[in-house]
Amino acid sequence: MTLKPDNLVLFFTTTCGANGELLGSDEKETVQLAWQVLDLVSKKPGPVNEVLVKSETLGLSEECVEVSGVSAEALCSAASLEEALNQFNERLCSEINTGSGSSFCLCTDGQLHLRQVLHPEASSKNILLSECFYSFFDLRKEFKKCFPTEADRKDLDLQVMSDYLNLSMDSSDHVFTALKIHQMSSIAQALISEPVCHTFSCPEKINEKFETGTCSKMERIDDNTVIRARGLPWQSSDQDVARFFRGLNIAKGGAALCLNAQGRRNGEALVRFESEEHRDLALQRHKHHMGSRYIEVYKATGEDFLKIAGGTSNEVANFLSRENQVIIRMRGLPFTATAEQVLQFFSPSCPVTDGHEGILFVRFPDGRPTGDAFVLFSCEEQAENALKKHKEILGKRYIELFRSTAAEVQQVLNKYSSAPLIPIAPAPILPVVPQPTFVPSTVAAVVGTRDCLRLRGLPYDASVQDILLFLGEYTADIRPHGVHMVLNQQGRPSGDAFIQMRSADRAYLAAQRCHKRTMKERYVEVFPCSAQEMNIVLMGGSLTRSGLSPPPCLSPASYTFPPGGAIIPAGAVLPAGAVLPMEAAALYPSQYILSPRPMAPTAFYPTNSQMYMNYSAYYPSPPGSPPNMGYFPTSHAPSAGSVLPNMPTAMIRMQSHTSTHAYASGVKEILSMVQGYQPSNSDAFVTLPSLLSAKQPIADQSLGGGPYLDLQLL
């Protein structure tokens, strides 16, 4: 890059779509290149040169035809973009005679011609641009340097600058493109002449490649330099993101791919640019394409970027301090795997950078391995050879290999280093669900005992009877009312079920024998689990290879288990009228907690209480078991094997005058309607009369704007 060039090449492009200030925003192809050489020593301009470029679409907008005078017929015989650029280089070199030592630099009217048109199109067509296209002068910025008090740079254009410098030109003598070139030449000559005597020096640079790097959580990032890109292909890398924004300068380590809760890429990325100007240009690429997919681009904040790419671990910082390395992620490692085994896995075709120092194992806070690791390779060729070992065996397990990024390393390490194992808070935010009614007291689950089964991947039309047939001989070991099928938020089967077994030994044997057996042409995974793990999932949490995740309805995780490891009764939903203090609500906001409102005077709760609705992420279906396939009996005494407390209970029938609410209303609507009348164990008959007498207020609310309901005590 020449600091003070001898010649200025005034460069102008035209696309087959929008031009002017919207140039390049519609992702249209270039159809015309025009330029003129200005000798900065003699201050004499050369002739105007023009090259037409053949567009693959062969479609011209009305604006393009009007301003450029280019016709579709003329483009049919034009050269391709790569050939046109070669012609530009040849004619430019012959005119300037670069062999004699004369230097030159491009100069454009604004940023769009190179950053938004030429570089993105060349990248998408895999065209290698010459070095001269990576540095240029912005004529508007040079004008602003000379006249800082003039209009804001965003409001500048060739006409405004010409008027300020008192330059006149007869537009009738030139077509649009030639007129623009002559205007630029006149302005540049005025700037280098007296009385201004401006010197064109230190052109701005366009980054040739994206540089990886690390980011500290303590770093301060300008909110006006960050964007969020959404809709990326899941296999895209940070280099693919940088290629999408080719022509714009991304900060070092400024492309961070986002991961979901399972540690996999979710199709989003946060990108940090060197300046607000480049961020604004990136926003103009909203719904531009990466392959066959269009990418959405939105504003983001520096805090968003730090959450994804920031880190505090010295171990990670040392690992990522080796620049220009290719990172490969290993997933599925045996927990006993060592660095020496990893080196042997990749050798000799693809040696790991710095041996043991180039391997980073991911661990839980207590030091247990997660089965993930990151490995460094010095070049793309070695990384490609390493990826060929995808799903090869290490020990007794096959290993998955993926390209990774510095930001992904930070995210994975942050995720596991901050993940609670099974956090037990001193006191729950919300009242614990009532004691279960179907677990025999003599066989209450012991903390940590894996005497339950988890079935995953069930057919969506599977019934309790199908599960009993699937388990075969182990059906006899199921506890009474011990089959629990889990439904999702829409009330449909989630494909999961839990089975309570009589002992941990029988649960282990059943898991060994039934794992990946077929049910209705689908194989079903069977795992032993504990009562606590079942409890969490039934409350809306998740159970994955990474461990337990607390229910979203209890965020942050501050729940406790019933004494003795008892399990939440299937079919139970967290209390709809649970009272949450205002201080706790401010500290722990959740999408599952609705806005507070005062209770009606007729409600069971005090009138000055603030109430928050809480819905579990999953609604367990009624339990089923071999002794009782009809679920809980309604007219018979409890079975001898279960503990059913003799608390006062009642059932209410809700009958509509039309069938509207049966289809338009869900569980949440019904809970919301009766939330103020939920009885406690000792006050059921006290509050039920008030509920029955409240027919008119409920009718006024209605379900979904439908008819009023008749409430009858059964």
Side-chain angles (χ1 to χ4, degrees), residues 79-101:
S80 65
L81 179 61
E82 187 172 12
E83 294 171 346
L85 291 174
N86 290 334
Q87 292 183 33
F88 167 80
N89 291 327
E90 293 173 0
R91 293 164 65 174
L92 187 62
C93 291
S94 64
E95 183 176 355
I96 296 179
N97 192 16
T98 55
S100 62

Side-chain angles (χ1 to χ4, degrees), residues 214-218 256-257 259-261 263 303-317 320 329 360-365 370 372 374 405-421 546:
T214 59
C215 178
S216 171
K217 281 189 176 292
M218 306 305 295
L257 298 170
L259 305 180
N260 59 19
E303 183 181 0
D304 294 335
F305 185 83
L306 288 177
K307 287 180 181 178
I308 300 299
T312 57
S313 170
N314 291 331
E315 182 183 13
V316 178
L320 297 175
R329 180 179 181 181
L360 178 65
F361 288 98
V362 183
R363 302 182 184 277
F364 287 108
T370 64
D372 282 23
F374 294 93
T405 65
E408 184 172 336
V409 176
Q410 295 280 21
Q411 287 181 80
V412 173
L413 268 294
N414 291 342
K415 174 179 181 289
Y416 284 109
S417 63
S418 61
L421 299 178
S546 304

